[in-house]
Amino acid sequence: MRTRMHAFRTRKATPGSAKGTAMANTHSTTEVAARGRAQKTWHGALSLALAAALAAFLTPAAAFADDASSADEQAQKQTQEQPQAQEGANTANIEDTEGDAPEQLQLLSAQSLEVSARTATQATVPYVDEQGTTRQASNAATVTAETTAWGQGTKTTWYVAAGNVTVDARVEVEGRVCLILADGATLNCAQGIHVGVDSSLTVYGQTSGTGALNATSNERYCAGIGGNLSVSSGTVTINGGTVSATGGDGAAGIGSGSVGGSNTIINGGTVQATGGYGAAGIGGSSHGSGSITVNGGTVTAVGGGSGAGLGGGSYGSSSVVINGGTVSAKSSGESAGIGSGLSGSSDVTINGGTISATGGFGSAGVGSGSHGSGSVTINGGTVSATGGDGGAGVGSGLFGSSDVTINGGTVDARGDDEAAGVGSGKQSSDTTVTIKGGIVNATGNYLTAAIDGNTVTISGGTVSATGLGANAAVGGDPSIDGNAFIVVNGTVNKSKQSSWKGIVVENGSGKVYGNVALATDATLPSGSTLTVPSDCTLTVAQGITLTNNGTVNVEGTLSTKGALVNNGTINANGTLEIEGTLTNENTINVNGTLNTEGTLAGGGKVVYPEPVKEVEEEEEEPAPRPRATSLEFDGGAAVNAASVAAETQTQDQAEAQKSTKTQSSSAASGGSAAKSAGSTLPGDVPLAQESAGGIPFVGIFVAVGVFIAAGLFIAATKRRSVKNQG
């Protein structure tokens, strides 16, 4: 460049000496600079005048008065800054190239093109973080087929995968690398990705989460994403997108290479990982170690050979913590679905999420592999676990050992071929089972109890245990001490029954032992009977529901501060106290006490016994008083007519009716005689009917009136008789 420019200046100079050439060069440079300043001054003045005219035309008068000064200042600032910037650029280019104005313009255009190219490869890209919040990443470099080294030193570097890209070489990650999988993009890493021991790879997706990363290691002992042979991996974190990884022989799909260690965190996205032979799908490798934490997302992990789906590889170790998400893990060899590989060890903690785990031959669904060891702690979530031949659903594998603690969650566990649902695998040793809470459904298999171990302690939760055939439902000489609700189909070792505290329903017949506060939702099955003895109290805690589909006999006290749902029959011979909610859909028989301070609902019925009538001592009835059964006439005079009327007024209703009927016949006879004499009572009311029939009963008052009328009639007849004799 310098040679060419020098030739250019020689051609422009006046022929002559070197001095003439220098003067020509000086003159040319000075002249160009002067012309440039004059042009810039003229152009600036013209631009200012045009800007002012345009502002005056477009801006309303009122606004123009307020904004004129600011517009002038901005225009003046632009006028001042533009020459300074241009002059600086010119000066730099002149010193750099020793050229003239045309060459300077050519160099400025090249710089502009370079800036545009840099902007195209490093852009601001949106992504979704681990909390689900959309953010922006600046200066994200686009991954191309040649981008095999990601990151630098200890810096944080951003990359974006856009479109369909295949990187044929193994990618090396250095420093803190953040990769964004753009929606609809597919990035294929044909030889996998190695994350250095002191480095990290964090994968993000975008709104739809359709960006994909496929990483496959075709090299033995190297992970699909993670470590290399005998070299531990840095931290791999997946927050979004779709990630699929396959490890080489002896290496994990995501995690460690053979003999190395790893740390994997999954917060979201869709992850599918398959381990090489002897290694985990996600986690440890053969003779290696792995730490795995799942907080969310959808995870499918398949172990290779004797490696766990999620956990450790053969002869390796692992630590697994699941806090959420949906996890499906399976082993194809002598290792657990989640836990340890063949002859390995693993500690598994499940706090939440939905988990499905299937063990390989001689291995637990969740726990240890064949000849392996470890521990399982379940605090929450929904866990479905199935052991392979000789492996427990949750617990140990063939010839293995494990400590199982269930504090909460819902666990459905099934053993296979001489293995417990929860606890011991076939010919396992030193396995302990502790159930403190949660809902546990355990099913054993041939020759093994549903829940079994060297020691079994049940102090809480709702436990359903089913032994097959004549097998025990709960073995291991269990200690039942707490507030557990246990329903078993099979037998329970009762050597410690005298110290039991809880509820045990065995083959349809149940009993409450001690004073129990139910702290987990429970259901009494249809056809089963539960008795609350007279010296016991069963309390349903607040927020808890007890559902009765069978028959509950309350001899002591059944108290609910939560909810009691009765779909069967409750016989309340003792005390039934409702402080919470009672939903009665069938029958409650109350032979004792029912206290209802809470809420009653449902369409069932409450039946109370018939009230017992008290037998009072009967008083001796007085001798009957003499009464006339008919009226007798002697020469037209009535005998005892007045006494008959007085006596009748003092009789009860039945006697009055009877007397009235009797006197009707007599009154009819006397009435005929009176009628023949042509006499009537005041008001011209007939004294009697002509028929021989009785007077209809209309009450005691009518009877009294009749007898008063009869007395008046007799008195009148007597007066007439005396007069006639005179």
Side-chain angles (χ1 to χ4, degrees):
M1 174 65 75
R2 288 182 178 273
T3 303
R4 189 177 68 81
M5 292 300 298
H6 180 72
F8 180 80
R9 291 197 302 270
T10 303
R11 288 195 299 270
K12 290 190 67 175
T14 303
S17 64
K19 181 178 179 180
T21 302
M23 290 177 63
N25 288 337
T26 303
H27 175 76
S28 177
T29 302
T30 304
E31 183 179 355
V32 169
R35 285 200 303 267
R37 284 192 295 272
Q39 289 175 353
K40 285 182 283 188
T41 302
W42 184 81
H43 288 163
L46 180 60
S47 299
L48 181 60
L50 290 174
L54 183 60
F57 177 76
L58 296 176
T59 306
F64 180 80
D66 294 334
D67 298 339
S69 58
S70 60
D72 290 341
E73 290 175 1
Q74 185 175 359
Q76 184 176 0
K77 183 177 180 181
Q78 292 177 353
T79 305
Q80 292 174 352
E81 289 178 352
Q82 185 175 356
Q84 291 174 359
Q86 186 68 36
E87 184 176 356
N90 290 341
T91 303
N93 289 330
I94 289 171
E95 292 177 354
D96 247 357
T97 63
E98 298 182 0
D100 52 11
E103 189 69 23
Q104 294 163 21
L105 295 176
Q106 191 174 9
L107 289 174
L108 287 173
S109 299
Q111 288 177 350
S112 299
L113 291 174
E114 183 180 353
V115 171
S116 299
R118 188 184 302 116
T119 303
T121 58
Q122 293 185 349
T124 298
V125 180
Y127 68 95
V128 178
D129 69 6
E130 62 274 18
Q131 303 298 329
T133 303
T134 300
R135 300 185 180 277
Q136 301 288 331
S138 59
N139 299 326
T142 302
V143 177
T144 66
E146 290 75 28
T147 312
T148 59
W150 298 356
Q152 182 180 3
T154 59
K155 296 180 179 179
T156 298
T157 310
W158 286 84
Y159 293 86
V160 58
N164 296 323
V165 178
T166 298
V167 181
D168 291 327
R170 188 166 176 81
V171 174
E172 296 291 331
V173 171
E174 183 180 0
R176 182 176 182 269
V177 171
C178 300
L179 173 65
I180 301 172
L181 301 176
D183 283 339
T186 300
L187 173 59
N188 299 308
C189 295
Q191 296 299 323
I193 301 171
H194 173 229
V195 181
V197 62
D198 295 323
S199 301
S200 67
L201 172 64
T202 303
V203 180
Y204 296 95
Q206 291 185 330
T207 304
S208 299
T210 56
L213 168 63
N214 301 317
T216 301
S217 174
N218 294 315
E219 187 174 348
R220 296 184 66 185
Y221 313 126
C222 293
I225 302 175
N228 286 347
L229 172 62
S230 300
V231 178
S232 294
S233 168
T235 299
V236 176
T237 303
I238 300 174
N239 294 321
T242 298
V243 178
S244 177
T246 303
D249 284 348
I254 300 175
S256 62
S258 182
V259 192
S262 64
N263 182 29
T264 304
I265 301 172
I266 301 174
N267 296 317
T270 300
V271 180
Q272 298 176 342
T274 303
Y277 184 82
I282 301 175
S285 61
S286 175
H287 297 82
S289 62
S291 174
I292 308 101
T293 302
V294 179
N295 297 316
T298 301
V299 179
T300 302
V302 179
S306 53
L310 191 71
S314 60
Y315 301 95
S317 62
S318 66
S319 172
V320 179
V321 178
I322 301 176
N323 297 316
T326 301
V327 178
S328 175
K330 181 179 180 180
S331 172
S332 58
E334 298 178 75
S335 54
I338 299 175
S340 67
L342 172 66
S343 298
S345 64
S346 180
D347 295 324
V348 178
T349 301
I350 299 175
N351 298 317
T354 301
I355 297 95
S356 174
T358 303
F361 177 80
S363 302
V366 178
S368 63
S370 176
H371 296 79
S373 63
S375 67
V376 178
T377 302
I378 300 176
N379 299 316
T382 300
V383 180
S384 176
T386 303
D389 292 347
V394 176
S396 59
L398 175 68
F399 296 108
S401 63
S402 181
D403 294 332
V404 178
T405 302
I406 300 176
N407 298 316
T410 299
V411 180
D412 191 348
R414 178 182 291 271
D416 192 11
D417 190 19
E418 301 185 40
V422 176
S424 300
K426 183 178 181 180
Q427 299 183 20
S428 66
S429 61
D430 196 21
T431 296
T432 64
V433 176
T434 303
I435 300 176
K436 298 180 180 180
I439 298 174
V440 180
N441 301 311
T443 303
N445 208 294
Y446 178 66
L447 296 179
T448 307
I451 300 174
D452 198 13
N454 294 75
T455 60
V456 175
T457 302
I458 304 176
S459 60
T462 298
V463 180
S464 174
T466 302
L468 298 183
N471 297 330
V474 180
D477 195 13
S479 296
I480 300 174
D481 181 17
N483 300 309
F485 189 103
I486 305 170
V487 178
V488 300
N489 293 315
T491 61
V492 180
N493 188 323
K494 299 182 179 63
S495 63
K496 298 179 181 179
Q497 186 178 24
S498 60
S499 62
W500 284 1
K501 179 187 175 184
I503 301 169
V504 179
V505 180
E506 183 179 359
N507 298 320
S509 178
K511 180 181 176 182
V512 176
Y513 295 86
N515 297 322
V516 178
L518 190 64
T520 308
D521 291 349
T523 299
L524 181 67
S526 176
S528 297
T529 299
L530 174 64
T531 299
V532 183
S534 59
D535 58 345
C536 297
T537 298
L538 172 58
T539 301
V540 181
Q542 188 173 3
I544 303 301
T545 299
L546 171 62
T547 301
N548 171 41
N549 293 328
T551 300
V552 177
N553 296 318
V554 182
E555 305 297 335
T557 300
L558 172 56
S559 173
T560 176
K561 302 179 185 300
L564 174 60
V565 178
N566 179 43
N567 298 320
T569 301
I570 297 177
N571 297 315
N573 301 319
T575 301
L576 182 58
E577 295 182 347
I578 309 300
E579 297 182 28
T581 300
L582 168 62
T583 302
N584 179 33
E585 300 294 353
N586 204 329
T587 303
I588 299 177
N589 296 313
V590 180
N591 294 309
T593 302
L594 173 59
N595 297 324
T596 56
E597 298 178 2
T599 302
L600 303 181
K605 60 182 178 179
V606 177
V607 180
Y608 290 85
E610 289 293 332
V612 178
K613 295 182 179 180
E614 295 184 2
V615 179
E616 297 182 356
E617 212 174 300
E618 295 184 359
E619 296 182 1
E620 192 173 330
E621 294 185 0
R625 297 177 181 178
R627 71 174 59 192
T629 58
S630 63
L631 293 176
E632 297 179 2
F633 292 90
D634 182 9
V639 179
N640 293 329
S643 63
V644 170
E647 292 276 359
T648 304
Q649 292 182 45
T650 61
Q651 301 302 314
D652 58 20
Q653 183 175 351
E655 292 173 337
Q657 181 179 2
K658 184 177 180 180
S659 299
T660 302
K661 187 173 181 180
T662 302
Q663 295 297 335
S664 296
S665 177
S666 300
S669 176
S672 298
K675 187 175 181 182
S676 64
S679 299
T680 60
L681 289 176
D684 201 21
V685 177
L687 294 178
Q689 300 290 334
E690 292 185 345
S691 65
I695 302 174
F697 174 72
V698 292
I700 189 169
F701 297 106
V702 175
V704 172
V706 169
F707 283 105
I708 291 174
L712 293 175
F713 169 73
I714 292 171
T717 303
K718 187 175 181 179
R719 284 195 300 270
R720 289 192 187 98
S721 177
V722 173
K723 184 177 180 181
N724 291 333
Q725 291 177 3

